[in-house]
Amino acid sequence: MTPAGTAQKPPQSLDEWTELLRVQEMPIFSNTAHNIYAALDDRHKGAIELATVILQDPNLTAKLLKVGSSPYYNPSKQKMSTVSRAIVVLGAEVIRELTLACSFFEAMLSSTNKDRANREIALALHAAVQAKDLALSMGDTSPEEVFVAALLHNIGHIAFWCSGNPQSKKVHEQIEKSGLNNREAEKKILGFTLQDLGKKLSKSWSLGGLIEQAIAKPDSAEKRVQMVQLGHQICLALKAGRDSDAMRACLQKVAAFTGLPTEILKTKIDKNTSEAVHIARQFGANDASKFISTEAIIAKFEEAEEEKADKKQLQFQILQDISSHISGQIDLNGLFEMVLEGIHRGVEMDRTLFMLLSPDKQTLNEKFSLGWHKIGLDQKIRIYNSEPSANLLFHALHQQEGVWLFPQQHRELYTPQIRQHIGEYECFVFPVYAEKKTVGLIYCDHSIHGLPLTREDFIAAKHFAKQAHIGLTLYCMKNH
């Protein structure tokens, strides 16, 4: 935002206000929005050119990769370490949504008028998530465009109220003290409405398309414009209360628009509200997230973050114990028990299993297990390499880095033997080896509680499996 003293008097016209806010107040957003749109609109430019534009802003790059890896944008959990890879995985349209959202948040979060900025961010993001879900429900071909249009729909209000210019502040105070409703006060004191300002700003930033259409013609009968409007109307109705007359009327309107029953819509709206809180926090807008929803939902997120911190602390402590153990006289049974406990408790797996490969390499025999419901303690799992095609465990033995397997995608690996002894569950499997010889494997899953596995879980479990490899290698070196 602009430092104090850049103007001697408040801007007098719509054009002057537009220029002040565009050039002085939100230059980051101006440059990024223009460059991203130029790169995307030029069909001759590919992922490399688009990546070059994004990489010019290190903050934007880091934020984009972080938020782009979240389940909301990347449900398939594909790895994205570079912007080029993100463009391939997510597609140019999603990248446009993300870069504009990241630029928008960067400009808004630097506002000196923190309380107002957080309220505006909360409304914009919440409406964008609700509008995008409407677009998905209606089979829209570009729900990302609907998201961006809803996010930037009140750009005039946002830019004006989040302005840190001292002359802007005087006008803010005049409007707030006028006692008139917003539009009347804006017209009387500014000579135009903030919706008019939004139209001007969207033109000056060359945002075009649905963004400009929804701002310029909010009462349009065009379906996609109505999605943007309904996204905002849902948020305003929620502020009146989930059981309010305003919410009931809004639900009826959305039901007529989508053809969905109101009960299903209520569930979807609640889910979207939680999603908006989560996304706001990923963008670093923690304070804004509190204006999106109830304290109960915020408390749930904060509790989850605390649990995550506790989980990391436990992992660290167990890893320290393993490091201490392998730096002295190594007991292999003790080593594998600690590694298994690290994965079971530290990564919070429901079932964890360490198996040794027989000398003839045709049988895997259970050595240790945690979380398995067995009739007797001496009941051990044994898997043979005797089926026509490789089963899940023998397949994993040949994958040095470990594998993340899904019953739906790897059906052929879940052979009768695997289904009988282990079941059909999403799982991680890591081969355990020393001196380039495979000695066994570690298997783990969430089969009891049915929670989805995450990339973070995979990395943590892999780290523990690596400790088994290091410990085994050191043991072999010491005992040769």
Side-chain angles (χ1 to χ4, degrees), residues 182 186 230 237 376 392 451:
N182 288 350
E186 291 158 16
L230 285 172
L392 181 141
L451 296 171

Side-chain angles (χ1 to χ4, degrees), residues 25 133 204 209 286 288 301 389 453 472-473:
E25 297 296 324
D133 189 63
S204 70
N286 287 16
F301 276 97
S389 60
L453 298 172
L472 254 179
T473 303

Side-chain angles (χ1 to χ4, degrees), residues 311-380:
K311 188 170 161 182
K312 291 269 187 198
Q313 182 61 28
L314 179 59
Q315 289 174 14
F316 178 69
Q317 287 169 351
I318 297 174
L319 285 168
Q320 277 191 318
D321 289 345
I322 294 171
S323 296
S324 175
H325 179 77
I326 63 179
S327 64
Q329 192 67 33
I330 299 172
D331 168 28
L332 288 181
N333 284 342
L335 169 65
F336 286 115
E337 283 174 352
M338 281 193 283
V339 167
L340 221 60
E341 184 177 346
I343 294 173
H344 191 70
R345 288 179 56 230
V347 193
E348 295 181 348
M349 288 293 156
D350 289 343
R351 301 189 308 177
T352 317
L353 171 69
F354 172 56
M355 305 186 84
L356 282 172
L357 186 62
S358 63
D360 66 0
K361 313 223 180 284
Q362 296 304 305
T363 311
L364 280 162
N365 299 295
E366 176 189 331
K367 181 70 175 171
F368 304 114
S369 65
L370 294 168
W372 297 73
H373 297 305
K374 297 178 181 176
I375 298 166
L377 290 174
D378 58 344
Q379 185 184 12
K380 299 287 186 181

Side-chain angles (χ1 to χ4, degrees), residues 8 10 165-175 189:
Q8 297 304 309
N165 185 286
Q167 310 310 322
S168 305
K169 289 179 184 177
K170 291 178 184 176
V171 184
H172 295 169
E173 289 166 10
Q174 284 179 282
I175 290 176
I189 293 160

Side-chain angles (χ1 to χ4, degrees), residues 48-310:
I48 293 172
E49 288 86 347
L50 180 55
T52 302
V53 173
I54 296 165
L55 287 165
Q56 287 170 4
D57 186 334
N59 290 337
L60 173 62
T61 301
K63 190 81 78 177
L64 184 145
L65 288 171
K66 180 187 174 188
V67 182
S69 296
S70 69
Y72 185 71
Y73 288 103
N74 185 17
S76 64
K77 307 169 187 171
Q78 293 188 60
K79 186 178 180 181
M80 298 186 307
S81 306
T82 65
V83 172
S84 300
R85 175 66 179 155
I87 294 168
V88 171
V89 172
L90 302 178
E93 284 301 316
V94 175
I95 291 297
R96 171 156 68 177
E97 171 189 330
L98 268 173
T99 48
L100 280 175
C102 289
S103 312
F104 167 80
F105 277 99
E106 194 169 344
M108 292 301 99
L109 289 171
S110 62
S111 169
T112 52
N113 188 354
K114 295 293 182 191
D115 186 68
R116 189 74 194 222
N118 284 323
R119 289 176 188 276
E120 296 291 357
I121 288 170
L123 174 60
L125 182 60
H126 191 186
V129 174
Q130 297 288 0
K132 183 177 178 179
D133 189 63
L134 286 174
L136 289 166
S137 298
M138 300 287 286
D140 189 86
T141 54
S142 182
E144 293 78 23
E145 192 178 6
V146 175
F147 178 97
V148 172
L151 184 75
L152 303 183
H153 185 59
N154 286 350
I155 194 66
H157 297 73
I158 292 165
F160 175 78
W161 286 108
C162 297
S163 167
N165 185 286
Q167 310 310 322
S168 305
K169 289 179 184 177
K170 291 178 184 176
V171 184
H172 295 169
E173 289 166 10
Q174 284 179 282
I175 290 176
E176 286 176 331
K177 290 175 182 175
S178 68
L180 301 169
N181 72 42
N182 288 350
R183 285 182 68 86
E184 288 173 351
E186 291 158 16
K187 194 80 176 166
K188 181 179 177 184
I189 293 160
L190 293 169
F192 56 86
T193 67
L194 295 183
Q195 188 179 328
D196 294 331
L197 179 62
K199 291 178 192 176
K200 271 278 191 184
L201 283 170
S202 74
K203 272 192 165 57
S204 70
W205 280 321
S206 306
L207 297 179
L210 183 61
I211 301 171
E212 201 168 307
Q213 193 181 351
I215 293 172
K217 298 176 182 175
D219 299 325
S220 168
E222 208 276 322
K223 270 197 167 184
R224 305 182 83 224
V225 172
Q226 288 183 42
M227 290 173 191
V228 172
Q229 297 299 334
L230 285 172
H232 280 267
Q233 287 168 27
I234 288 168
C235 297
L236 294 174
L238 280 171
K239 288 192 180 300
R242 291 179 79 256
D243 299 317
S244 65
D245 290 341
M247 192 68 228
R248 277 190 286 274
C250 182
L251 280 168
Q252 286 178 358
K253 192 171 180 181
V254 178
F257 181 75
T258 61
L260 294 171
T262 55
E263 286 309 309
I264 287 177
L265 288 173
K266 282 181 183 178
T267 303
K268 286 168 78 66
I269 287 168
D270 287 346
K271 179 177 175 290
N272 294 333
T273 301
S274 293
E275 196 70 71
V277 171
H278 187 61
I279 295 168
R281 295 174 83 80
Q282 285 187 312
F283 274 115
N286 287 16
D287 291 335
S289 71
K290 294 171 184 175
F291 292 108
I292 292 175
S293 189
T294 62
E295 288 301 317
I297 288 181
I298 298 298
K300 184 184 79 173
F301 276 97
E302 288 175 348
E303 187 181 320
E305 283 172 5
E306 283 175 19
E307 285 175 5
K308 194 172 174 182
D310 292 342

